[in-house]
């Protein structure tokens, strides 16, 4: 590559050699992050062309967020050669600067959590999970033991066959809806069989309906901007991300995306990062932000299960941000070729795709609702109550038989 033995003026939020020093303080600030990305590209170009840089002294740290954005960008009659903070291809930028290469893509919109109406909806929405199957196996084993105890009583009184495998097979056949012939003389045993068969029938009906719902039902309704309007979602905005900073962008898109939710946006609340994220997780709230700023914080404070329940609804997708130089810069073409080569060999891709700025890898659909073991407590409780009543009836039968040896307990 051609060596450029010159010194260029660079405008940035901070000198690029301080990227690591400022990372812990600014890593969740999108203006800092964009500056850091621009610094990485600048450092690659320095390694290619061997030039030096100098930074005009400006007190960026004591400026407001909006003032920082304006101060870093290109201005009329500017003497700066390179602008480190990437910017969009907008007319007021192109009047004063020259785009070299798109170095990353920006997305902005709502992050929210889809809330479900109740357990039944979740139960029908997906196949049985492991806890539910464990519950079925447990009730089958428990029923077999109860059946065996009751069959022992019938065996003592009437000489009926006594076999635990047979009772286990009866319980299994009830779940499969192919019930074997039953032989029960005592009322307690008959009630036990009838109760379990009814319980198994309910579970079988649920499972059948569950499978049919996957075959004939449409997928869950897709969350979009209209969903935010139709449902009672509260819109909140991060404290340092004021809508005024991108006013021109919003005005251009008002007839397309933002107009759908504009009335709700006018009523939004401004919260800090921690409060905003807790609101999204715990209430019906939509957080307006760029996504990448929030990913590292989600991963730090929330489990993957809760992160995977989040939904992203874009306002602006695939907005390309470019590395800029001055229009009068003498080495525009060299820089363009250099960044293009860095992109072709994968350097830019590896620098821009950082794990902490990626969304959590979810194995299941974000909007999926899992059936948990506690959802089976009610049917288990009802079954146990029925068997407790059965055992009480058995106890009553034993006491009654010991006092009154009458039919059907004796011949």
């Amino acid at each position: 590559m051609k060596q450029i033995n010159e010194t260029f003026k660079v405008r940035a939020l901070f000198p690029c050699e301080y990227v690591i020093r400022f990372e812990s303080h600014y890593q969740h600030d999108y203006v800092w992050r964009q500056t850091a990305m621009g610094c990485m590209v600048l450092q690659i170009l320095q390694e290619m062309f061997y030039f030096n840089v100098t930074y005009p002294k400006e007190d960026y740290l004591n400026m407001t967020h909006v003032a920082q954005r304006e101060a870093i960008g290109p201005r009329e009659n500017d003497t700066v050669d390179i602008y480190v903070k990437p910017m969009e291809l907008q007319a007021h930028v192109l009047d004063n600067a020259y785009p070299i290469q798109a170095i990353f893509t920006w997305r902005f919109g709502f992050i929210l959590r889809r809330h479900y109406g109740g357990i039944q909806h979740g139960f029908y929405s997906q196949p049985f999970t492991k806890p539910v199957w464990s519950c079925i196996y447990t009730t089958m084993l428990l029923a077999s033991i109860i059946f065996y105890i009751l069959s022992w009583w019938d065996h003592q009184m009437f000489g009926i066959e006594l076999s635990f495998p047979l009772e286990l097979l009866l319980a299994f056949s009830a779940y499969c809806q192919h019930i074997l012939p039953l032989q029960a003389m005592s009322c307690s045993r008959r009630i036990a069989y009838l109760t379990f068969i009814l319980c198994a029938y309910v579970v079988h009906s649920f499972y059948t309906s569950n499978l049919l719902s996957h075959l004939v039902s449409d997928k869950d309704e897709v969350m979009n901007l209209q969903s935010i309007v139709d449902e009672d979602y509260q819109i909140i905005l991060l404290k340092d991300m004021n809508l005024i900073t991108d006013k021109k962008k919003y005005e251009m898109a008002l007839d397309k995306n933002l107009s759908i939710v504009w009335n709700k946006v006018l009523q939004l609340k401004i919260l800090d990062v921690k409060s905003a994220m807790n609101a999204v997780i715990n209430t019906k709230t939509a957080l307006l932000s760029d996504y990448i700023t929030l990913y590292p914080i989600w991963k730090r404070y929330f489990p993957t299960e809760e992160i995977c329940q989040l939904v992203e609804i874009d306002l602006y997708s695939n907005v390309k941000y470019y590395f800029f130089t001055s229009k009068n810069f003498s080495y525009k073409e060299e820089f363009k070729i250099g960044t293009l080569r860095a992109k072709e060999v994968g350097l830019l891709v590896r620098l821009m795709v950082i794990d902490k700025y990626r969304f959590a890898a979810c194995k299941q659909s974000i909007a999926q609702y899992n059936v948990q073991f506690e959802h089976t407590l009610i049917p288990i409780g009802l079954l146990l109550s029925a068997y407790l009543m059965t055992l009480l009836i058995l106890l009553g039968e034993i006491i009654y038989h010991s006092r009154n040896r009458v039919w059907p307990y004796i011949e």
Side-chain angles (χ1 to χ4, degrees):
M1 298 295 288
K2 176 183 177 181
Q3 291 192 11
I4 305 174
N5 296 316
E6 295 189 32
T7 300
F8 303 128
K9 289 184 179 180
V10 177
R11 178 170 292 147
L13 184 63
F14 49 81
C16 287
E17 59 264 26
Y18 297 150
V19 168
I20 302 301
R21 180 187 301 181
F22 287 130
E23 181 176 7
S24 60
H25 187 66
Y26 289 112
Q27 64 175 318
H28 305 310
D29 184 298
Y30 66 105
V31 176
W32 175 86
R33 189 179 62 256
Q34 292 172 2
T35 303
M37 296 296 184
C39 280
M40 294 177 187
V41 175
L42 179 64
Q43 289 171 346
I44 290 174
L45 292 174
Q46 279 189 277
E47 293 292 330
M48 289 182 176
F49 297 107
Y50 301 98
F51 57 86
N52 296 316
V53 297
T54 182
Y55 301 89
K57 294 183 179 180
E58 295 192 45
D59 190 9
Y60 296 113
L61 296 181
N62 292 324
M63 293 181 182
T64 64
H65 216 61
V66 178
Q68 284 181 0
R69 289 174 62 101
E70 296 296 330
I72 295 174
R75 311 166 193 171
E76 193 174 353
N77 300 322
D78 216 338
T79 59
V80 171
D81 299 307
I82 302 168
Y83 303 96
V84 167
K85 179 188 174 298
M87 289 163 280
E88 294 176 74
L89 292 179
Q90 294 187 10
H92 70 283
V93 177
L94 295 174
D95 287 342
N96 303 306
Y98 180 81
I100 297 297
Q101 179 70 43
I103 61 174
F104 75 92
T105 301
W106 188 76
R107 293 171 60 222
F108 183 85
F110 297 95
I111 294 182
L112 54 94
R113 183 183 186 184
R114 186 166 190 170
H115 290 261
Y116 290 87
I119 292 174
Q120 290 294 97
H121 179 79
F123 197 88
Y124 277 102
S125 69
Q126 60 179 4
F128 287 174
T129 55
K130 289 183 179 179
V132 179
W133 283 114
S134 300
C135 172
I136 291 174
Y137 299 145
T138 302
T139 55
M140 187 186 302
L141 179 61
L142 176 63
S144 302
I145 295 172
I146 299 294
F147 293 164
Y148 182 73
I149 295 173
L150 296 173
S151 66
W152 173 84
W153 168 247
D154 276 15
H155 175 73
Q156 293 291 322
M157 298 302 303
F158 311 111
I160 294 176
E161 180 184 0
L162 178 65
S163 171
F164 180 76
L166 176 61
E167 304 302 332
L168 184 61
L169 183 59
L170 285 171
F172 180 79
S173 66
Y175 272 124
C176 295
Q177 297 295 292
H178 293 284
I179 302 170
L180 300 177
L182 301 174
Q183 184 180 8
M185 298 297 294
S186 62
C187 293
S188 56
R189 193 178 181 192
R190 292 173 183 175
I191 293 173
Y193 282 146
L194 178 61
T195 303
F196 185 76
I197 290 170
L198 290 175
C199 178
Y201 179 74
V202 171
V203 173
H204 186 270
S205 299
F206 267 62
Y207 185 71
T208 304
S209 301
N210 193 5
L211 293 179
L212 287 174
S213 68
H214 280 273
L215 293 174
V216 303
S217 299
D218 294 331
K219 297 293 184 181
D220 286 339
E221 181 184 353
V222 177
M223 294 294 290
N224 52 30
L225 293 176
Q226 193 62 47
S227 303
I228 298 178
V229 176
D230 295 338
E231 300 183 29
D232 55 341
Y233 279 94
Q234 169 69 48
I235 294 180
I236 57 178
L237 182 71
L238 288 186
K239 183 174 62 176
D240 294 328
M241 191 167 289
N242 200 305
L243 288 174
I244 298 175
T245 60
D246 284 320
K247 184 177 179 181
K248 293 183 179 180
K249 185 192 308 177
Y250 299 143
E251 288 174 347
M252 287 189 297
L254 193 57
D255 294 333
K256 301 176 184 177
N257 294 331
L258 196 59
S259 59
I260 300 174
V261 291
W262 186 248
N263 289 333
K264 276 201 168 185
V265 168
L266 293 177
Q267 304 170 14
L268 60 76
K269 295 180 180 178
I270 298 177
L271 299 177
D272 57 37
V273 174
K274 185 176 181 181
S275 301
M277 291 187 163
N278 284 326
V280 171
I281 291 294
N282 299 317
T283 64
K284 293 189 72 172
T285 300
L287 173 58
L288 184 60
S289 171
D290 74 317
Y291 307 123
I292 300 177
T293 298
L294 298 174
Y295 289 161
I297 316 175
W298 285 118
K299 294 177 182 179
R300 181 179 299 178
Y301 294 107
F302 296 96
T304 302
E305 180 182 353
E306 290 188 346
I307 296 175
C308 289
Q309 294 174 358
L310 299 177
V311 180
E312 295 177 359
I313 302 177
D314 290 351
L315 275 178
Y316 310 107
S317 298
N318 302 321
V319 179
K320 292 185 178 180
Y321 272 69
Y322 286 75
F323 187 79
F324 274 83
T325 66
S326 167
K327 270 195 167 184
N328 301 321
F329 188 56
S330 304
Y331 300 97
K332 293 193 294 287
E333 293 305 317
E334 285 81 354
F335 272 32
K336 181 168 283 191
I337 293 171
T339 52
L340 185 60
R341 288 186 179 179
K343 192 171 186 177
E344 287 174 347
V345 299
L347 278 177
L348 290 185
V349 175
R350 293 191 64 181
L351 286 175
M352 304 312 161
V353 181
I354 303 173
D355 284 339
K356 67 180 179 181
Y357 295 132
R358 289 179 177 175
F359 193 73
C362 299
K363 295 181 180 179
Q364 60 187 17
S365 172
I366 291 177
Q368 200 170 37
Y369 185 78
N370 283 328
V371 179
Q372 302 298 330
F373 184 75
E374 57 265 23
H375 299 162
T376 65
L377 292 180
I378 293 178
I380 289 177
L382 292 174
L383 183 63
L384 291 178
S385 300
Y387 280 146
L388 181 60
M389 292 179 62
T390 301
L391 292 175
L392 291 175
I393 293 172
L394 173 63
L395 181 61
E397 286 180 333
I398 293 174
I399 295 173
Y400 185 79
H401 175 265
S402 63
R403 293 183 178 179
N404 307 283
R405 298 182 63 82
V406 295
W407 187 91
Y409 303 105
I410 59 173
E411 295 182 357

